[in-house]
Amino acid sequence: MVAFPALWLGARAQPAAGRIATPSQTEGPFYPVRLPTDSDNDLLRNGTLDYRRGQPARVDGTVTDLDGKPLRGAQVEIWQCDENGHYHHPGDGDRADAAFQGFGRATVGEDGSYRFRTIRPVPYGGRTPHIHVKVKLGTRELLTTQLYVAGDPGNARDFLWRNLSQTARDAVTVPFERGADGLRARFPIVITA
Ligand code: FE
């Protein structure tokens, strides 16, 4: 697991009083019925297939408790639709691109870090772009939420995003910033359990 010292120091420098629990959001209808054979943290490579559509993005961050202590060994799961707005799910007609993994898992490292490679999420069926996120420790589900793209014009029209308080919006809405190797989003996840 690659560490991100700068990010970690940033998280530590934050006063505990300023850290809020990441708000939960509905799981939605498209959590996989059956987990894909390939369910690692690289959603751009499914088995032997490479997904070349959409805007590649790194999504990474930390999973900590309210005091900033890393939840090492926890699992972060993400799932999202492909560039055409389709999930790997019978409820969506199983129409997602075979090369897009659509679901992935990352284990939280000693330093609390996790990372994924995926695409910047796209809108579908009236929803603003989002990535579904679940955090588990063993079989225990600690959090189910959704991650949003800062500055996306669809956010203000989204029924779920609009119902969040400003503080909650700030906690689940992060910029996808262009770097040397594509887009990058940092999503710090804070768990109360
Ligand atoms: Fe969704």
Side-chain angles (χ1 to χ4, degrees):
M1 179 65 67
V2 179
F4 297 103
L7 176 64
W8 179 231
L9 287 173
R12 289 291 290 199
Q14 205 181 341
R19 202 177 275 119
I20 67 147
T22 305
S24 67
Q25 289 261 273
T26 177
E27 179 172 299
F30 297 127
Y31 185 85
V33 175
R34 213 173 299 108
L35 300 189
T37 312
D38 185 354
S39 54
D40 68 0
N41 66 345
D42 184 359
L43 278 68
L44 300 183
R45 186 167 173 82
N46 195 19
T48 57
L49 303 174
D50 286 311
Y51 191 57
R52 300 185 200 283
R53 306 207 51 203
Q55 299 182 65
R58 266 171 69 183
V59 176
D60 57 43
T62 50
V63 183
T64 64
D65 67 12
L66 278 170
D67 297 323
K69 191 167 144 267
L71 258 81
R72 66 178 70 90
Q75 302 262 315
V76 181
E77 298 179 343
I78 66 170
W79 68 102
Q80 68 186 100
C81 62
D82 69 10
E83 186 69 8
N84 287 328
H86 294 304
Y87 283 87
H88 286 292
H89 195 283
D92 196 17
D94 275 323
R95 286 176 293 170
D97 194 309
F100 186 56
Q101 198 174 287
F103 171 94
R105 258 192 197 140
T107 300
V108 175
E110 287 288 310
D111 58 355
S113 67
Y114 72 89
R115 64 187 299 176
F116 289 97
R117 199 163 75 106
T118 186
I119 54 169
R120 179 201 190 277
V122 298
Y124 69 88
R127 290 300 318 281
T128 197
H130 60 277
I131 298 177
H132 296 270
V133 179
K134 199 185 270 291
V135 180
K136 292 178 176 171
L137 190 62
T139 54
R140 242 173 91 222
E141 292 194 6
L142 303 182
L143 176 72
T144 301
T145 191
Q146 300 184 24
L147 172 65
Y148 299 92
V149 180
D152 194 284
N155 291 344
R157 295 190 297 270
D158 188 87
F159 69 105
L160 286 177
W161 193 86
R162 279 192 350 193
N163 280 334
L164 294 167
S165 69
Q166 188 61 54
T167 308
R169 287 175 185 177
D170 290 346
V172 292
T173 311
V174 303
F176 279 63
E177 290 172 315
R178 193 158 293 285
D181 57 347
L183 297 176
R184 181 171 180 199
R186 296 169 206 236
F187 181 40
I189 301 172
V190 181
I191 301 284
T192 46

